[in-house]
Amino acid sequence: MNDLVALNLEMIVTIVDGGIGEDVIDYSKKAGASGGTILHGRGSGVHDTGKFLGLDISPEKDVVLTLVPDSLTNEVMDAIGKGIKIDIPGNGICFSIDIDKVIGITKIHQYREVVEMKELLEDN
Protein backbone atom coordinates (compact mmCIF):
# COMPACT_ATOMS: atom_id res chain seq x y z
CA MET A 1 0.00 0.00 0.00
CA ASN A 2 1.25 3.48 -0.84
CA ASP A 3 2.12 5.82 2.02
CA LEU A 4 0.73 9.33 2.07
CA VAL A 5 3.53 11.77 1.42
CA ALA A 6 3.47 14.85 3.66
CA LEU A 7 5.09 17.56 1.54
CA ASN A 8 4.33 21.17 0.87
CA LEU A 9 3.17 20.80 -2.72
CA GLU A 10 1.30 22.98 -5.14
CA MET A 11 -0.36 22.14 -8.42
CA ILE A 12 0.19 24.71 -11.15
CA VAL A 13 -2.72 24.78 -13.58
CA THR A 14 -2.04 26.40 -16.96
CA ILE A 15 -4.77 26.76 -19.59
CA VAL A 16 -3.55 27.60 -23.10
CA ASP A 17 -4.58 27.13 -26.73
CA GLY A 18 -4.33 23.58 -28.04
CA GLY A 19 -0.82 22.61 -29.05
CA ILE A 20 0.88 24.95 -26.57
CA GLY A 21 0.78 22.47 -23.68
CA GLU A 22 4.08 20.86 -24.69
CA ASP A 23 5.73 24.30 -24.59
CA VAL A 24 4.34 24.86 -21.08
CA ILE A 25 5.90 21.57 -19.94
CA ASP A 26 9.23 22.53 -21.54
CA TYR A 27 9.26 25.90 -19.71
CA SER A 28 8.29 24.13 -16.46
CA LYS A 29 11.11 21.62 -16.76
CA LYS A 30 13.67 24.36 -17.44
CA ALA A 31 12.56 25.97 -14.16
CA GLY A 32 12.98 22.75 -12.17
CA ALA A 33 9.68 20.88 -12.46
CA SER A 34 9.89 17.18 -13.26
CA GLY A 35 7.13 17.24 -15.87
CA GLY A 36 3.40 17.64 -16.17
CA THR A 37 0.15 16.25 -17.51
CA ILE A 38 -1.71 17.69 -20.49
CA LEU A 39 -5.49 17.40 -20.58
CA HIS A 40 -7.37 18.44 -23.70
CA GLY A 41 -10.49 20.58 -23.54
CA ARG A 42 -12.52 23.16 -25.38
CA GLY A 43 -12.79 26.83 -24.44
CA SER A 44 -15.99 28.81 -24.23
CA GLY A 45 -14.79 32.30 -23.24
CA VAL A 46 -14.94 35.64 -25.05
CA HIS A 47 -11.73 35.02 -27.01
CA ASP A 48 -12.60 31.44 -27.86
CA THR A 49 -15.37 31.57 -30.44
CA GLY A 50 -15.29 32.29 -34.12
CA LYS A 51 -16.53 31.15 -37.48
CA PHE A 52 -14.91 29.09 -40.19
CA LEU A 53 -16.78 28.60 -43.45
CA GLY A 54 -19.93 29.73 -41.66
CA LEU A 55 -19.58 27.18 -38.85
CA ASP A 56 -19.16 28.14 -35.20
CA ILE A 57 -15.84 26.93 -33.84
CA SER A 58 -14.36 26.79 -30.36
CA PRO A 59 -10.60 26.32 -30.32
CA GLU A 60 -9.17 23.37 -28.47
CA LYS A 61 -7.44 24.05 -25.17
CA ASP A 62 -4.60 22.35 -23.34
CA VAL A 63 -4.86 22.22 -19.56
CA VAL A 64 -1.43 21.51 -18.09
CA LEU A 65 -1.18 20.20 -14.52
CA THR A 66 2.24 20.50 -12.92
CA LEU A 67 2.87 19.27 -9.37
CA VAL A 68 5.83 21.00 -7.69
CA PRO A 69 7.26 21.58 -4.21
CA ASP A 70 6.00 24.95 -2.98
CA SER A 71 9.57 26.26 -3.05
CA LEU A 72 9.52 26.02 -6.87
CA THR A 73 6.04 27.41 -7.55
CA ASN A 74 7.01 31.04 -8.18
CA GLU A 75 9.99 30.13 -10.35
CA VAL A 76 8.00 27.68 -12.48
CA MET A 77 5.02 30.02 -12.87
CA ASP A 78 7.35 32.88 -13.84
CA ALA A 79 9.03 30.69 -16.47
CA ILE A 80 5.67 29.61 -17.89
CA GLY A 81 4.35 33.18 -17.92
CA LYS A 82 7.39 34.57 -19.71
CA GLY A 83 7.55 31.62 -22.10
CA ILE A 84 3.95 31.80 -23.30
CA LYS A 85 3.82 35.61 -23.02
CA ILE A 86 0.89 35.37 -20.61
CA ASP A 87 0.70 39.16 -20.30
CA ILE A 88 -0.83 39.27 -23.80
CA PRO A 89 -4.64 38.88 -23.57
CA GLY A 90 -5.87 35.51 -24.81
CA ASN A 91 -2.50 33.74 -24.37
CA GLY A 92 -3.61 31.77 -21.35
CA ILE A 93 -4.03 31.69 -17.63
CA CYS A 94 -1.86 30.15 -14.93
CA PHE A 95 -2.65 29.65 -11.24
CA SER A 96 -1.63 27.41 -8.36
CA ILE A 97 -3.57 25.30 -5.88
CA ASP A 98 -2.24 24.01 -2.53
CA ILE A 99 -2.13 20.22 -2.28
CA ASP A 100 -2.68 18.60 1.14
CA LYS A 101 -2.02 14.95 0.42
CA VAL A 102 -0.64 12.88 -2.42
CA ILE A 103 0.25 9.27 -3.10
CA GLY A 104 2.09 7.65 -5.96
CA ILE A 105 4.92 10.13 -6.46
CA THR A 106 8.64 9.53 -6.13
CA LYS A 107 10.52 12.27 -7.96
CA ILE A 108 9.09 15.15 -5.88
CA HIS A 109 9.70 13.17 -2.69
CA GLN A 110 13.33 12.68 -3.72
CA TYR A 111 13.62 16.40 -4.50
CA ARG A 112 12.37 17.29 -1.02
CA GLU A 113 14.87 14.88 0.58
CA VAL A 114 17.73 16.55 -1.33
CA VAL A 115 16.57 20.04 -0.25
CA GLU A 116 16.26 18.96 3.38
CA MET A 117 19.71 17.34 3.28
CA LYS A 118 21.27 20.51 1.84
CA GLU A 119 19.61 22.61 4.55
CA LEU A 120 20.88 20.22 7.21
CA LEU A 121 24.44 20.40 5.88
CA GLU A 122 24.32 24.21 5.68
CA ASP A 123 23.15 24.44 9.30
CA ASN A 124 26.14 22.39 10.51
Side-chain angles (χ1 to χ4, degrees):
M1 183 165 159
N2 292 328
D3 293 326
L4 287 175
V5 178
L7 299 173
N8 296 325
L9 299 175
E10 293 193 358
M11 179 172 56
I12 299 171
V13 179
T14 309
I15 304 170
V16 293
D17 286 337
I20 307 296
E22 289 290 339
D23 294 339
V24 170
I25 289 181
D26 289 343
Y27 297 129
S28 298
K29 284 181 172 181
K30 288 177 185 171
S34 60
T37 300
I38 301 173
L39 307 174
H40 300 288
R42 186 178 57 199
S44 63
V46 175
H47 299 287
D48 299 324
T49 59
K51 291 196 178 267
F52 179 71
L53 299 176
L55 300 172
D56 288 327
I57 58 168
S58 295
E60 297 298 312
K61 296 291 181 186
D62 285 344
V63 179
V64 183
L65 308 177
T66 310
L67 197 61
V68 297
D70 60 355
S71 60
L72 283 179
T73 303
N74 291 342
E75 189 174 342
V76 172
M77 287 182 72
D78 188 51
I80 293 169
K82 287 178 181 174
I84 66 171
K85 297 178 177 55
I86 206 161
D87 56 330
I88 298 172
N91 275 8
I93 184 170
C94 184
F95 57 91
S96 67
I97 301 170
D98 288 335
I99 302 297
D100 282 341
K101 297 173 184 75
V102 64
I103 59 174
I105 61 170
T106 56
K107 207 162 198 173
I108 291 174
H109 185 62
Q110 290 167 350
Y111 170 85
R112 177 62 73 191
E113 287 175 350
V114 169
V115 168
E116 289 172 353
M117 184 60 75
K118 283 174 84 175
E119 290 172 354
L120 200 81
L121 291 173
E122 288 172 359
D123 289 343
N124 290 333

